[in-house]
Amino acid sequence: MSLTVREIHRYPVKSMLGERLEAVELDDRGLVGDRWWAVRDGSGRFASGKNSRRFHRMDPVFGCSASMDESGTMVALPDGTSLLASDPRLNERLSELFGESVELVREGETVRPGLGVVEHYDAAPVSLIGTATLAAAAELVGDDEPLDPRRFRANLVVETNEPYAEDGWLGRTLEMGGVRLYVTEQIERCRTVDVQQGDVPRHGRVLKALGEQRDLLLAVYAEPIVTGRIRIGDTVTVR
């Protein structure tokens, strides 16, 4: 079976659920529109499922989702309200939801000592996971169906027939539809893989299983080398 692009996911606001696309443009930063925005607290850290120098654990972010159209980035709140990212009412609503003062900011608006301009993505701009890996991970936790790729915030889901095939892509180049990506590293997972994220239900066994069987590593990061357009069905060649 040849490798192909099975799914494309974009997350316009970091840590919120995003949208599934048929095609997307890739630029030097990554998928156009992906994680352009993030929720920032009063200390300059971004809403996430973990605490670190850059991130603040704020689980209410997982109840929100974001999408993009010609009008801009739209944020959907748990009560069904949808507001444009540029709507001044959104920060007030988010602060109420989070229980503290927060604001939605575009990448480049946060500068922190020792970190400079803080990027919204983690170690690299694009993440990939294989369908066989999703199925194998489901077996690890005793599930009958493959795990939802949104649980791992994967940008690209590649049709594969070998579990954890992505591990063999490290240091190699992936070509798809004229686009080229350089695979940089495996992704270390955190508790986010188990929390409820919109219609992705809470799990509770994923992180423990990955810790016992995979040293918490699942999926890979990649950097753009050649930009262009990625489409569902594109053949993926590993070089």
Side-chain angles (χ1 to χ4, degrees):
M1 181 183 68
S2 62
L3 304 179
T4 58
V5 178
R6 171 82 170 271
E7 297 179 27
I8 301 171
H9 295 268
R10 176 170 63 189
Y11 303 91
V13 179
K14 181 173 178 58
S15 297
M16 293 185 184
L17 278 181
E19 55 190 345
R20 185 170 173 173
L21 306 173
E22 292 298 314
V24 70
E25 294 294 329
L26 181 84
D27 63 16
D28 290 336
R29 183 193 171 279
L31 274 62
V32 171
D34 189 60
R35 296 171 174 87
W36 274 4
W37 299 83
V39 178
R40 182 176 65 186
D41 70 7
S43 71
R45 293 187 296 168
F46 299 129
S48 178
K50 59 188 175 184
N51 288 311
S52 70
R53 291 183 65 195
R54 294 174 59 202
F55 303 124
H56 179 187
R57 176 178 166 179
M58 293 189 276
D59 285 0
V61 73
F62 298 121
C64 304
S65 63
S67 59
M68 294 180 65
D69 59 23
E70 63 278 359
S71 62
T73 298
M74 183 70 69
V75 175
L77 302 174
D79 65 1
T81 302
S82 293
L83 296 170
L84 281 169
S86 57
D87 192 319
R89 297 173 296 173
L90 181 57
N91 287 339
E92 180 180 349
R93 294 297 307 276
L94 288 173
S95 295
E96 292 173 357
L97 176 65
F98 284 54
E100 61 181 284
S101 180
V102 298
E103 60 181 341
L104 194 68
V105 295
R106 274 291 299 262
E107 188 170 80
E109 294 181 12
T110 299
V111 179
R112 297 189 61 200
L115 294 177
V117 176
V118 183
E119 298 168 326
H120 290 170
Y121 56 78
D122 294 342
V126 182
S127 59
L128 305 95
I129 195 166
T131 54
T133 295
L134 292 169
E139 291 183 7
L140 290 181
V141 299
D143 286 1
D144 295 329
E145 298 295 327
L147 295 179
D148 192 319
R150 296 177 298 168
R151 191 176 294 282
F152 305 102
R153 299 303 170 109
N155 291 123
L156 303 177
V157 180
V158 178
E159 186 79 34
T160 57
N161 59 3
E162 180 185 346
Y164 316 117
E166 308 92 299
D167 297 349
W169 302 345
L170 295 176
R172 303 179 72 179
T173 299
L174 305 181
E175 296 183 0
M176 58 195 80
V179 164
R180 296 176 65 193
L181 296 168
Y182 178 74
V183 180
T184 58
E185 62 186 286
Q186 294 171 289
I187 301 176
E188 182 176 332
R189 313 316 311 201
C190 69
R191 62 177 289 275
T192 300
V193 299
D194 278 317
V195 303
Q196 180 174 348
Q197 305 175 40
D199 62 345
V200 180
R202 181 184 181 280
H203 201 290
R205 301 188 304 276
V206 177
L207 190 65
K208 182 175 186 294
L210 293 180
E212 292 174 345
Q213 302 293 327
R214 295 279 305 164
D215 293 328
L216 297 177
L217 301 173
L218 197 76
V220 292
Y221 281 128
E223 296 273 2
I225 299 175
V226 177
T227 61
R229 191 167 182 82
I230 303 172
R231 298 174 178 83
I232 296 293
D234 280 349
T235 297
V236 179
T237 302
V238 183
R239 299 197 184 280

